[in-house]
Amino acid sequence: MTKQSEAFMRQMLEFLPSTEASYTESVVFNGEVLETVIIEDVFMPVIIELIRREENIDLIEQIFEYFEEVSNDEDAHLINIFSITALEILGNEETILRTAQKYMGPRTKELQKEADRALGRKV
């Protein structure tokens, strides 16, 4: 795990403190921080629910502003992990993706489309 990946995990825990117990359980169960597992199974379900409800707009905006920072990071490992987890999951449901796109910055949108194309989804 790179320093940027570690920073990503810390930032997500700061945005989503309710995920701390699940994060810790995952680390204990797996004996290490498995980035893809944590992003997919711990963080993204909460983010998807935030998007679905669209109630805490400030938090959604903060998360997507951070996602744009991540999308523009030079750490290829972080961008790859982010793309194959968070961005692919956002494309799983069309309604979620449409809502999420309202908050995405230009680079995040571009990476999300690339993630969809990599999966063979129609973009």
Side-chain angles (χ1 to χ4, degrees), residues 49-67:
E49 192 57 31
L50 284 169
I51 294 167
R52 181 174 280 116
R53 291 182 182 198
E54 216 174 350
E55 292 173 348
N56 192 340
I57 302 300
D58 287 341
L59 179 57
I60 294 169
E61 288 175 345
Q62 289 173 20
I63 289 169
F64 279 93
E65 284 173 21
Y66 181 64
F67 281 4

mmCIF file with all atom_site columns, all heavy atoms in Angstrom, residues 49-67:
data_model
loop_
_atom_site.group_PDB
_atom_site.id
_atom_site.type_symbol
_atom_site.label_atom_id
_atom_site.label_alt_id
_atom_site.label_comp_id
_atom_site.label_asym_id
_atom_site.label_entity_id
_atom_site.label_seq_id
_atom_site.pdbx_PDB_ins_code
_atom_site.Cartn_x
_atom_site.Cartn_y
_atom_site.Cartn_z
_atom_site.occupancy
_atom_site.B_iso_or_equiv
_atom_site.pdbx_formal_charge
_atom_site.auth_seq_id
_atom_site.auth_comp_id
_atom_site.auth_asym_id
_atom_site.auth_atom_id
_atom_site.pdbx_PDB_model_num
ATOM 1   N N   . GLU A 1 49 ? -25.468 4.604  -0.507 1.00 0.00 ? 49 GLU A N   1
ATOM 2   C CA  . GLU A 1 49 ? -26.681 4.967  0.227  1.00 0.00 ? 49 GLU A CA  1
ATOM 3   C C   . GLU A 1 49 ? -26.813 6.483  0.359  1.00 0.00 ? 49 GLU A C   1
ATOM 4   O O   . GLU A 1 49 ? -27.912 7.035  0.240  1.00 0.00 ? 49 GLU A O   1
ATOM 5   C CB  . GLU A 1 49 ? -26.696 4.294  1.608  1.00 0.00 ? 49 GLU A CB  1
ATOM 6   C CG  . GLU A 1 49 ? -28.023 4.379  2.307  1.00 0.00 ? 49 GLU A CG  1
ATOM 7   C CD  . GLU A 1 49 ? -29.192 3.778  1.520  1.00 0.00 ? 49 GLU A CD  1
ATOM 8   O OE1 . GLU A 1 49 ? -28.998 2.819  0.751  1.00 0.00 ? 49 GLU A OE1 1
ATOM 9   O OE2 . GLU A 1 49 ? -30.316 4.290  1.671  1.00 0.00 ? 49 GLU A OE2 1
ATOM 10  N N   . LEU A 1 50 ? -25.708 7.179  0.576  1.00 0.00 ? 50 LEU A N   1
ATOM 11  C CA  . LEU A 1 50 ? -25.739 8.651  0.615  1.00 0.00 ? 50 LEU A CA  1
ATOM 12  C C   . LEU A 1 50 ? -26.243 9.205  -0.718 1.00 0.00 ? 50 LEU A C   1
ATOM 13  O O   . LEU A 1 50 ? -27.055 10.135 -0.751 1.00 0.00 ? 50 LEU A O   1
ATOM 14  C CB  . LEU A 1 50 ? -24.346 9.217  0.897  1.00 0.00 ? 50 LEU A CB  1
ATOM 15  C CG  . LEU A 1 50 ? -23.825 9.145  2.320  1.00 0.00 ? 50 LEU A CG  1
ATOM 16  C CD1 . LEU A 1 50 ? -22.340 9.487  2.355  1.00 0.00 ? 50 LEU A CD1 1
ATOM 17  C CD2 . LEU A 1 50 ? -24.612 10.086 3.222  1.00 0.00 ? 50 LEU A CD2 1
ATOM 18  N N   . ILE A 1 51 ? -25.731 8.653  -1.798 1.00 0.00 ? 51 ILE A N   1
ATOM 19  C CA  . ILE A 1 51 ? -26.141 9.101  -3.133 1.00 0.00 ? 51 ILE A CA  1
ATOM 20  C C   . ILE A 1 51 ? -27.612 8.778  -3.363 1.00 0.00 ? 51 ILE A C   1
ATOM 21  O O   . ILE A 1 51 ? -28.364 9.611  -3.868 1.00 0.00 ? 51 ILE A O   1
ATOM 22  C CB  . ILE A 1 51 ? -25.257 8.451  -4.217 1.00 0.00 ? 51 ILE A CB  1
ATOM 23  C CG1 . ILE A 1 51 ? -23.820 8.953  -4.097 1.00 0.00 ? 51 ILE A CG1 1
ATOM 24  C CG2 . ILE A 1 51 ? -25.818 8.720  -5.612 1.00 0.00 ? 51 ILE A CG2 1
ATOM 25  C CD1 . ILE A 1 51 ? -22.816 8.152  -4.909 1.00 0.00 ? 51 ILE A CD1 1
ATOM 26  N N   . ARG A 1 52 ? -28.026 7.583  -2.986 1.00 0.00 ? 52 ARG A N   1
ATOM 27  C CA  . ARG A 1 52 ? -29.421 7.158  -3.186 1.00 0.00 ? 52 ARG A CA  1
ATOM 28  C C   . ARG A 1 52 ? -30.381 8.098  -2.462 1.00 0.00 ? 52 ARG A C   1
ATOM 29  O O   . ARG A 1 52 ? -31.385 8.536  -3.016 1.00 0.00 ? 52 ARG A O   1
ATOM 30  C CB  . ARG A 1 52 ? -29.604 5.722  -2.698 1.00 0.00 ? 52 ARG A CB  1
ATOM 31  C CG  . ARG A 1 52 ? -31.013 5.186  -2.896 1.00 0.00 ? 52 ARG A CG  1
ATOM 32  C CD  . ARG A 1 52 ? -31.132 3.709  -2.543 1.00 0.00 ? 52 ARG A CD  1
ATOM 33  N NE  . ARG A 1 52 ? -30.613 2.930  -3.674 1.00 0.00 ? 52 ARG A NE  1
ATOM 34  C CZ  . ARG A 1 52 ? -29.543 2.139  -3.634 1.00 0.00 ? 52 ARG A CZ  1
ATOM 35  N NH1 . ARG A 1 52 ? -28.861 1.993  -2.519 1.00 0.00 ? 52 ARG A NH1 1
ATOM 36  N NH2 . ARG A 1 52 ? -29.155 1.475  -4.704 1.00 0.00 ? 52 ARG A NH2 1
ATOM 37  N N   . ARG A 1 53 ? -30.062 8.439  -1.236 1.00 0.00 ? 53 ARG A N   1
ATOM 38  C CA  . ARG A 1 53 ? -30.944 9.294  -0.431 1.00 0.00 ? 53 ARG A CA  1
ATOM 39  C C   . ARG A 1 53 ? -30.783 10.769 -0.777 1.00 0.00 ? 53 ARG A C   1
ATOM 40  O O   . ARG A 1 53 ? -31.713 11.546 -0.607 1.00 0.00 ? 53 ARG A O   1
ATOM 41  C CB  . ARG A 1 53 ? -30.670 9.087  1.053  1.00 0.00 ? 53 ARG A CB  1
ATOM 42  C CG  . ARG A 1 53 ? -31.091 7.732  1.534  1.00 0.00 ? 53 ARG A CG  1
ATOM 43  C CD  . ARG A 1 53 ? -30.838 7.594  2.993  1.00 0.00 ? 53 ARG A CD  1
ATOM 44  N NE  . ARG A 1 53 ? -31.197 6.261  3.433  1.00 0.00 ? 53 ARG A NE  1
ATOM 45  C CZ  . ARG A 1 53 ? -31.415 5.946  4.680  1.00 0.00 ? 53 ARG A CZ  1
ATOM 46  N NH1 . ARG A 1 53 ? -31.312 6.855  5.618  1.00 0.00 ? 53 ARG A NH1 1
ATOM 47  N NH2 . ARG A 1 53 ? -31.718 4.712  5.001  1.00 0.00 ? 53 ARG A NH2 1
ATOM 48  N N   . GLU A 1 54 ? -29.582 11.131 -1.166 1.00 0.00 ? 54 GLU A N   1
ATOM 49  C CA  . GLU A 1 54 ? -29.240 12.506 -1.516 1.00 0.00 ? 54 GLU A CA  1
ATOM 50  C C   . GLU A 1 54 ? -29.750 13.489 -0.458 1.00 0.00 ? 54 GLU A C   1
ATOM 51  O O   . GLU A 1 54 ? -30.330 14.530 -0.768 1.00 0.00 ? 54 GLU A O   1
ATOM 52  C CB  . GLU A 1 54 ? -29.772 12.850 -2.911 1.00 0.00 ? 54 GLU A CB  1
ATOM 53  C CG  . GLU A 1 54 ? -28.847 13.764 -3.673 1.00 0.00 ? 54 GLU A CG  1
ATOM 54  C CD  . GLU A 1 54 ? -29.264 14.025 -5.100 1.00 0.00 ? 54 GLU A CD  1
ATOM 55  O OE1 . GLU A 1 54 ? -30.193 13.370 -5.624 1.00 0.00 ? 54 GLU A OE1 1
ATOM 56  O OE2 . GLU A 1 54 ? -28.634 14.896 -5.713 1.00 0.00 ? 54 GLU A OE2 1
ATOM 57  N N   . GLU A 1 55 ? -29.482 13.140 0.803  1.00 0.00 ? 55 GLU A N   1
ATOM 58  C CA  . GLU A 1 55 ? -29.907 13.987 1.918  1.00 0.00 ? 55 GLU A CA  1
ATOM 59  C C   . GLU A 1 55 ? -28.768 14.844 2.453  1.00 0.00 ? 55 GLU A C   1
ATOM 60  O O   . GLU A 1 55 ? -28.970 16.007 2.752  1.00 0.00 ? 55 GLU A O   1
ATOM 61  C CB  . GLU A 1 55 ? -30.474 13.126 3.047  1.00 0.00 ? 55 GLU A CB  1
ATOM 62  C CG  . GLU A 1 55 ? -31.784 12.457 2.707  1.00 0.00 ? 55 GLU A CG  1
ATOM 63  C CD  . GLU A 1 55 ? -32.242 11.475 3.766  1.00 0.00 ? 55 GLU A CD  1
ATOM 64  O OE1 . GLU A 1 55 ? -31.453 11.129 4.667  1.00 0.00 ? 55 GLU A OE1 1
ATOM 65  O OE2 . GLU A 1 55 ? -33.399 11.041 3.677  1.00 0.00 ? 55 GLU A OE2 1
ATOM 66  N N   . ASN A 1 56 ? -27.603 14.265 2.596  1.00 0.00 ? 56 ASN A N   1
ATOM 67  C CA  . ASN A 1 56 ? -26.464 14.989 3.156  1.00 0.00 ? 56 ASN A CA  1
ATOM 68  C C   . ASN A 1 56 ? -25.595 15.503 2.005  1.00 0.00 ? 56 ASN A C   1
ATOM 69  O O   . ASN A 1 56 ? -24.510 14.992 1.746  1.00 0.00 ? 56 ASN A O   1
ATOM 70  C CB  . ASN A 1 56 ? -25.677 14.073 4.094  1.00 0.00 ? 56 ASN A CB  1
ATOM 71  C CG  . ASN A 1 56 ? -24.675 14.834 4.925  1.00 0.00 ? 56 ASN A CG  1
ATOM 72  O OD1 . ASN A 1 56 ? -24.288 15.953 4.595  1.00 0.00 ? 56 ASN A OD1 1
ATOM 73  N ND2 . ASN A 1 56 ? -24.221 14.216 6.004  1.00 0.00 ? 56 ASN A ND2 1
ATOM 74  N N   . ILE A 1 57 ? -26.102 16.527 1.336  1.00 0.00 ? 57 ILE A N   1
ATOM 75  C CA  . ILE A 1 57 ? -25.450 17.053 0.140  1.00 0.00 ? 57 ILE A CA  1
ATOM 76  C C   . ILE A 1 57 ? -24.042 17.552 0.449  1.00 0.00 ? 57 ILE A C   1
ATOM 77  O O   . ILE A 1 57 ? -23.122 17.341 -0.350 1.00 0.00 ? 57 ILE A O   1
ATOM 78  C CB  . ILE A 1 57 ? -26.297 18.179 -0.499 1.00 0.00 ? 57 ILE A CB  1
ATOM 79  C CG1 . ILE A 1 57 ? -27.697 17.683 -0.851 1.00 0.00 ? 57 ILE A CG1 1
ATOM 80  C CG2 . ILE A 1 57 ? -25.597 18.775 -1.728 1.00 0.00 ? 57 ILE A CG2 1
ATOM 81  C CD1 . ILE A 1 57 ? -27.753 16.536 -1.817 1.00 0.00 ? 57 ILE A CD1 1
ATOM 82  N N   . ASP A 1 58 ? -23.864 18.203 1.594  1.00 0.00 ? 58 ASP A N   1
ATOM 83  C CA  . ASP A 1 58 ? -22.532 18.716 1.939  1.00 0.00 ? 58 ASP A CA  1
ATOM 84  C C   . ASP A 1 58 ? -21.505 17.586 1.981  1.00 0.00 ? 58 ASP A C   1
ATOM 85  O O   . ASP A 1 58 ? -20.400 17.725 1.452  1.00 0.00 ? 58 ASP A O   1
ATOM 86  C CB  . ASP A 1 58 ? -22.546 19.442 3.292  1.00 0.00 ? 58 ASP A CB  1
ATOM 87  C CG  . ASP A 1 58 ? -23.237 20.790 3.234  1.00 0.00 ? 58 ASP A CG  1
ATOM 88  O OD1 . ASP A 1 58 ? -23.390 21.333 2.112  1.00 0.00 ? 58 ASP A OD1 1
ATOM 89  O OD2 . ASP A 1 58 ? -23.627 21.294 4.298  1.00 0.00 ? 58 ASP A OD2 1
ATOM 90  N N   . LEU A 1 59 ? -21.860 16.488 2.615  1.00 0.00 ? 59 LEU A N   1
ATOM 91  C CA  . LEU A 1 59 ? -20.940 15.353 2.700  1.00 0.00 ? 59 LEU A CA  1
ATOM 92  C C   . LEU A 1 59 ? -20.694 14.748 1.318  1.00 0.00 ? 59 LEU A C   1
ATOM 93  O O   . LEU A 1 59 ? -19.549 14.442 0.970  1.00 0.00 ? 59 LEU A O   1
ATOM 94  C CB  . LEU A 1 59 ? -21.474 14.284 3.666  1.00 0.00 ? 59 LEU A CB  1
ATOM 95  C CG  . LEU A 1 59 ? -20.599 13.040 3.825  1.00 0.00 ? 59 LEU A CG  1
ATOM 96  C CD1 . LEU A 1 59 ? -19.188 13.406 4.285  1.00 0.00 ? 59 LEU A CD1 1
ATOM 97  C CD2 . LEU A 1 59 ? -21.252 12.065 4.793  1.00 0.00 ? 59 LEU A CD2 1
ATOM 98  N N   . ILE A 1 60 ? -21.733 14.599 0.534  1.00 0.00 ? 60 ILE A N   1
ATOM 99  C CA  . ILE A 1 60 ? -21.568 14.063 -0.825 1.00 0.00 ? 60 ILE A CA  1
ATOM 100 C C   . ILE A 1 60 ? -20.613 14.959 -1.620 1.00 0.00 ? 60 ILE A C   1
ATOM 101 O O   . ILE A 1 60 ? -19.704 14.466 -2.290 1.00 0.00 ? 60 ILE A O   1
ATOM 102 C CB  . ILE A 1 60 ? -22.930 13.932 -1.541 1.00 0.00 ? 60 ILE A CB  1
ATOM 103 C CG1 . ILE A 1 60 ? -23.799 12.876 -0.847 1.00 0.00 ? 60 ILE A CG1 1
ATOM 104 C CG2 . ILE A 1 60 ? -22.726 13.580 -3.023 1.00 0.00 ? 60 ILE A CG2 1
ATOM 105 C CD1 . ILE A 1 60 ? -25.249 12.854 -1.322 1.00 0.00 ? 60 ILE A CD1 1
ATOM 106 N N   . GLU A 1 61 ? -20.815 16.260 -1.531 1.00 0.00 ? 61 GLU A N   1
ATOM 107 C CA  . GLU A 1 61 ? -19.948 17.189 -2.259 1.00 0.00 ? 61 GLU A CA  1
ATOM 108 C C   . GLU A 1 61 ? -18.502 17.087 -1.782 1.00 0.00 ? 61 GLU A C   1
ATOM 109 O O   . GLU A 1 61 ? -17.569 17.105 -2.592 1.00 0.00 ? 61 GLU A O   1
ATOM 110 C CB  . GLU A 1 61 ? -20.461 18.622 -2.118 1.00 0.00 ? 61 GLU A CB  1
ATOM 111 C CG  . GLU A 1 61 ? -21.725 18.865 -2.916 1.00 0.00 ? 61 GLU A CG  1
ATOM 112 C CD  . GLU A 1 61 ? -22.328 20.245 -2.700 1.00 0.00 ? 61 GLU A CD  1
ATOM 113 O OE1 . GLU A 1 61 ? -21.955 20.933 -1.725 1.00 0.00 ? 61 GLU A OE1 1
ATOM 114 O OE2 . GLU A 1 61 ? -23.189 20.639 -3.523 1.00 0.00 ? 61 GLU A OE2 1
ATOM 115 N N   . GLN A 1 62 ? -18.307 16.975 -0.477 1.00 0.00 ? 62 GLN A N   1
ATOM 116 C CA  . GLN A 1 62 ? -16.948 16.840 0.064  1.00 0.00 ? 62 GLN A CA  1
ATOM 117 C C   . GLN A 1 62 ? -16.286 15.560 -0.439 1.00 0.00 ? 62 GLN A C   1
ATOM 118 O O   . GLN A 1 62 ? -15.114 15.570 -0.822 1.00 0.00 ? 62 GLN A O   1
ATOM 119 C CB  . GLN A 1 62 ? -16.979 16.842 1.591  1.00 0.00 ? 62 GLN A CB  1
ATOM 120 C CG  . GLN A 1 62 ? -17.314 18.171 2.208  1.00 0.00 ? 62 GLN A CG  1
ATOM 121 C CD  . GLN A 1 62 ? -17.485 18.060 3.717  1.00 0.00 ? 62 GLN A CD  1
ATOM 122 O OE1 . GLN A 1 62 ? -17.009 17.122 4.342  1.00 0.00 ? 62 GLN A OE1 1
ATOM 123 N NE2 . GLN A 1 62 ? -18.186 19.014 4.299  1.00 0.00 ? 62 GLN A NE2 1
ATOM 124 N N   . ILE A 1 63 ? -17.037 14.478 -0.424 1.00 0.00 ? 63 ILE A N   1
ATOM 125 C CA  . ILE A 1 63 ? -16.490 13.199 -0.885 1.00 0.00 ? 63 ILE A CA  1
ATOM 126 C C   . ILE A 1 63 ? -16.102 13.293 -2.357 1.00 0.00 ? 63 ILE A C   1
ATOM 127 O O   . ILE A 1 63 ? -15.004 12.878 -2.737 1.00 0.00 ? 63 ILE A O   1
ATOM 128 C CB  . ILE A 1 63 ? -17.490 12.049 -0.644 1.00 0.00 ? 63 ILE A CB  1
ATOM 129 C CG1 . ILE A 1 63 ? -17.595 11.757 0.856  1.00 0.00 ? 63 ILE A CG1 1
ATOM 130 C CG2 . ILE A 1 63 ? -17.074 10.793 -1.420 1.00 0.00 ? 63 ILE A CG2 1
ATOM 131 C CD1 . ILE A 1 63 ? -18.729 10.826 1.244  1.00 0.00 ? 63 ILE A CD1 1
ATOM 132 N N   . PHE A 1 64 ? -16.968 13.861 -3.174 1.00 0.00 ? 64 PHE A N   1
ATOM 133 C CA  . PHE A 1 64 ? -16.664 13.940 -4.599 1.00 0.00 ? 64 PHE A CA  1
ATOM 134 C C   . PHE A 1 64 ? -15.585 14.972 -4.925 1.00 0.00 ? 64 PHE A C   1
ATOM 135 O O   . PHE A 1 64 ? -14.852 14.802 -5.906 1.00 0.00 ? 64 PHE A O   1
ATOM 136 C CB  . PHE A 1 64 ? -17.935 14.119 -5.432 1.00 0.00 ? 64 PHE A CB  1
ATOM 137 C CG  . PHE A 1 64 ? -18.632 12.810 -5.659 1.00 0.00 ? 64 PHE A CG  1
ATOM 138 C CD1 . PHE A 1 64 ? -19.626 12.379 -4.807 1.00 0.00 ? 64 PHE A CD1 1
ATOM 139 C CD2 . PHE A 1 64 ? -18.246 11.985 -6.701 1.00 0.00 ? 64 PHE A CD2 1
ATOM 140 C CE1 . PHE A 1 64 ? -20.246 11.154 -4.992 1.00 0.00 ? 64 PHE A CE1 1
ATOM 141 C CE2 . PHE A 1 64 ? -18.852 10.747 -6.906 1.00 0.00 ? 64 PHE A CE2 1
ATOM 142 C CZ  . PHE A 1 64 ? -19.853 10.331 -6.040 1.00 0.00 ? 64 PHE A CZ  1
ATOM 143 N N   . GLU A 1 65 ? -15.457 16.002 -4.112 1.00 0.00 ? 65 GLU A N   1
ATOM 144 C CA  . GLU A 1 65 ? -14.323 16.920 -4.281 1.00 0.00 ? 65 GLU A CA  1
ATOM 145 C C   . GLU A 1 65 ? -13.027 16.157 -4.004 1.00 0.00 ? 65 GLU A C   1
ATOM 146 O O   . GLU A 1 65 ? -12.032 16.312 -4.721 1.00 0.00 ? 65 GLU A O   1
ATOM 147 C CB  . GLU A 1 65 ? -14.450 18.114 -3.339 1.00 0.00 ? 65 GLU A CB  1
ATOM 148 C CG  . GLU A 1 65 ? -15.461 19.140 -3.790 1.00 0.00 ? 65 GLU A CG  1
ATOM 149 C CD  . GLU A 1 65 ? -15.689 20.237 -2.764 1.00 0.00 ? 65 GLU A CD  1
ATOM 150 O OE1 . GLU A 1 65 ? -14.821 20.453 -1.880 1.00 0.00 ? 65 GLU A OE1 1
ATOM 151 O OE2 . GLU A 1 65 ? -16.747 20.885 -2.845 1.00 0.00 ? 65 GLU A OE2 1
ATOM 152 N N   . TYR A 1 66 ? -13.065 15.329 -2.976 1.00 0.00 ? 66 TYR A N   1
ATOM 153 C CA  . TYR A 1 66 ? -11.893 14.514 -2.669 1.00 0.00 ? 66 TYR A CA  1
ATOM 154 C C   . TYR A 1 66 ? -11.646 13.483 -3.778 1.00 0.00 ? 66 TYR A C   1
ATOM 155 O O   . TYR A 1 66 ? -10.501 13.253 -4.171 1.00 0.00 ? 66 TYR A O   1
ATOM 156 C CB  . TYR A 1 66 ? -12.047 13.829 -1.310 1.00 0.00 ? 66 TYR A CB  1
ATOM 157 C CG  . TYR A 1 66 ? -10.849 13.011 -0.942 1.00 0.00 ? 66 TYR A CG  1
ATOM 158 C CD1 . TYR A 1 66 ? -9.609  13.615 -0.730 1.00 0.00 ? 66 TYR A CD1 1
ATOM 159 C CD2 . TYR A 1 66 ? -10.922 11.627 -0.835 1.00 0.00 ? 66 TYR A CD2 1
ATOM 160 C CE1 . TYR A 1 66 ? -8.481  12.872 -0.416 1.00 0.00 ? 66 TYR A CE1 1
ATOM 161 C CE2 . TYR A 1 66 ? -9.803  10.875 -0.518 1.00 0.00 ? 66 TYR A CE2 1
ATOM 162 C CZ  . TYR A 1 66 ? -8.596  11.503 -0.309 1.00 0.00 ? 66 TYR A CZ  1
ATOM 163 O OH  . TYR A 1 66 ? -7.476  10.760 -0.007 1.00 0.00 ? 66 TYR A OH  1
ATOM 164 N N   . PHE A 1 67 ? -12.703 12.883 -4.295 1.00 0.00 ? 67 PHE A N   1
ATOM 165 C CA  . PHE A 1 67 ? -12.548 11.939 -5.399 1.00 0.00 ? 67 PHE A CA  1
ATOM 166 C C   . PHE A 1 67 ? -11.878 12.609 -6.596 1.00 0.00 ? 67 PHE A C   1
ATOM 167 O O   . PHE A 1 67 ? -11.081 11.984 -7.293 1.00 0.00 ? 67 PHE A O   1
ATOM 168 C CB  . PHE A 1 67 ? -13.901 11.359 -5.821 1.00 0.00 ? 67 PHE A CB  1
ATOM 169 C CG  . PHE A 1 67 ? -14.430 10.252 -4.943 1.00 0.00 ? 67 PHE A CG  1
ATOM 170 C CD1 . PHE A 1 67 ? -13.772 9.842  -3.789 1.00 0.00 ? 67 PHE A CD1 1
ATOM 171 C CD2 . PHE A 1 67 ? -15.616 9.613  -5.271 1.00 0.00 ? 67 PHE A CD2 1
ATOM 172 C CE1 . PHE A 1 67 ? -14.261 8.828  -2.990 1.00 0.00 ? 67 PHE A CE1 1
ATOM 173 C CE2 . PHE A 1 67 ? -16.120 8.586  -4.490 1.00 0.00 ? 67 PHE A CE2 1
ATOM 174 C CZ  . PHE A 1 67 ? -15.443 8.188  -3.346 1.00 0.00 ? 67 PHE A CZ  1
#
